[in-house]
Amino acid sequence: MKLAKILPFTRTLMDLAVNEGDIAVDATVGNGHDTLYLAQRVGESGHVFGFDIQKEAIAATSARLQEHNMLQRVTLFQASHDQLIEKIPAHYHGRITGAMFNLGYLPGGDKRIVTKPDSTIRAIEQLLQIMAKEGIIVIVVYHGHPEGAIERDALLHYTKAIDQKRAHVLKYEFINQMNNPPFIIALEKRS
């Protein structure tokens, strides 16, 4: 298959946005795969801020980062991503070049604990305020469960209404696959 699958395409977009020395955000650290990837992208002179409400996610991510000697490049918060504007120190505001979200529930975790549209939208709004111009937000929307479908609808409604002078908004999805495959919403900050 030559078309980029969903998860590899998220990295293609982040490769355009995040480089050595940059500041990045993993808004849903989960098991730490994206956090590690971002820590590798920012290098020794950059930094990543990671958020998750679940203690298990923070522990798994810490262990993954420690295993790869990358823990010093990352600050983890056991907090909702809608607290990022207050948790990320102000001197980093305006310097964030990339942010990633994987919505839904923690793989291998409690499927009753899921991301919520209101907090996700608040987090996106905050990122659009404090990101650098041309910073990119990539959101992987998993909508194959009831709460995911609610979040999908709210996010599509919200992102379609963003003024095009404020951000470019992209939706990337495979439209002929069965079982509600995930899709991407990506935003590039314009002003």
Side-chain angles (χ1 to χ4, degrees):
M1 181 167 161
K2 293 183 180 177
L3 291 173
K5 293 180 181 178
I6 295 301
L7 295 179
F9 191 60
T10 64
R11 302 235 171 140
T12 297
L13 293 171
M14 282 295 101
D15 287 349
L16 296 171
V18 179
N19 295 295
E20 175 90 24
D22 283 347
I23 308 301
V25 173
D26 186 349
T28 53
V29 300
N31 288 311
H33 298 286
D34 288 338
T35 316
L36 175 61
Y37 158 76
L38 289 170
Q40 292 166 335
R41 291 291 305 163
V42 302
E44 290 182 20
S45 60
H47 203 75
V48 177
F49 294 94
F51 295 83
D52 209 295
I53 61 170
Q54 295 185 72
K55 180 171 45 173
E56 299 84 358
I58 298 298
T61 299
S62 293
R64 185 173 308 282
L65 292 167
Q66 188 68 42
E67 181 181 317
H68 290 88
N69 198 28
M70 300 269 175
L71 195 54
Q72 71 282 2
R73 299 180 187 184
V74 178
T75 301
L76 295 171
F77 297 102
Q78 186 182 338
S80 174
H81 46 228
D82 71 352
Q83 297 177 35
L84 63 88
I85 202 165
E86 60 200 60
K87 297 280 187 187
I88 296 173
H91 65 276
Y92 291 111
H93 294 191
R95 296 179 50 204
I96 299 164
T97 60
M100 300 179 79
F101 291 75
N102 274 289
L103 303 180
Y105 48 81
L106 175 65
D110 185 344
K111 293 182 180 181
R112 296 171 297 174
I113 302 172
V114 296
T115 54
K116 303 287 186 186
D118 291 344
S119 62
T120 299
I121 289 169
R122 283 193 300 271
I124 295 166
E125 274 296 315
Q126 291 172 25
L127 283 166
L128 287 173
Q129 289 177 48
I130 65 172
M131 289 187 85
K133 185 177 180 183
E134 297 184 343
I136 295 177
I137 303 168
V138 177
I139 307 157
V140 181
V141 181
Y142 292 90
H143 58 110
H145 56 101
E147 295 86 0
I150 292 167
E151 190 167 37
R152 172 201 63 210
D153 294 346
L155 279 170
L156 288 173
H157 178 76
Y158 162 72
T159 55
K160 285 180 183 179
I162 293 174
D163 188 327
Q164 64 183 353
K165 293 177 185 167
R166 188 173 183 216
H168 297 291
V169 181
L170 165 77
K171 181 180 177 192
Y172 183 82
E173 70 177 326
F174 291 94
I175 60 175
N176 68 337
Q177 292 182 354
M178 297 171 47
N179 301 320
N180 301 307
F183 65 90
I184 292 172
I185 299 172
L187 299 89
E188 180 183 2
K189 181 177 176 176
R190 293 193 65 191
S191 57

